[in-house]
Amino acid sequence: MATVMDNGRDLTVMLIADRCAPDGDAAAGFQRDLHALGARLLPAGQPMLAVGPAARLGDLAAGAVGGLWRVLGVVLLASFVLLLLTFRSLLIPVKAVAMNLLCVCAAFGLLTVAFQDLGREGADVNALLPLVVFTIVFGLSLDYEVFLVHRIAEHYRRTGDNTAAVLHGLRHTARPITLAAAIMAVTFGGLMLTRRLDFQQGGFAVAAAIILDATIIRMVLVPCLMRLLGHRNWWLPGFRSRRGSAP
């Protein structure tokens, strides 16, 4: 149903009533059809503005997706620089950023399988989740990375033995990382008991990412890579000559 209100000069307002849920695919498709119709009927350059719950949700989702790349760039660059300055290594921050991205991508893959492929029909992943989950997971993952690598770097600089340093780091951080990850996974997993689908998806994604990060990433992949890279883990152009005594 549509009602037209025209002021007779330069503005036409159309009130359109529909039966679509504002956050559903039907509402999004309806908004696209309206804009396509306006583009065909209105003169060139004439703007068409839409308001209402569905339009606001669409604008919010578009803004979140558009801002994701800027947030991604800032977080990755800041993480790289911070780890570079902390550990005086070029490969450590590169490895940390790559592992964290792998963890986030794997978590979203599990989220898609759980809620779209195996879940109820029409349970699309909320458009705001990538931005929110990425920032939360990346911050938590860097915490675990710093805990582990700091122990390894401390032992390596004292002994110069990379293999022994990796074992030392695992031995002294496995329990606190596991306990911290379990607490965070249970906390965010509790959101899955709510009735809101977006809360369920967010809780599942963060909990899955934390479990993957604390087990496969932090306890298996990172130590294996550091063991294989050996002394190259601690390479930084020009740093050895400036420190002189650094191993």
Side-chain angles (χ1 to χ4, degrees), residues 161-177:
D161 188 337
N162 183 76
T163 301
V166 173
L167 292 176
H168 175 83
L170 278 176
R171 185 181 304 117
H172 288 84
T173 61
R175 179 173 296 178
I177 287 178

Side-chain angles (χ1 to χ4, degrees), residues 92-141:
I92 292 295
V94 171
K95 173 186 60 59
V97 168
M99 291 295 100
N100 288 355
L101 286 176
L102 176 63
C103 179
V104 173
C105 292
F108 276 109
L110 292 176
L111 176 66
T112 302
V113 171
F115 284 88
Q116 287 190 347
D117 297 341
L118 302 179
R120 62 180 181 270
E121 186 178 355
D124 293 332
V125 174
N126 191 290
L128 297 178
L129 282 183
L131 183 61
V132 176
V133 172
F134 170 77
T135 52
I136 294 176
V137 170
F138 220 85
L140 294 174
S141 298

Side-chain angles (χ1 to χ4, degrees), residues 15 47 56 65 84 93 111 126 130-131 137 205 215 225 231 242:
L15 301 180
R56 287 195 296 268
V65 173
L84 179 69
L111 176 66
N126 191 290
L131 183 61
V137 170
T215 54
L225 285 175
H231 297 287
R242 292 195 302 268

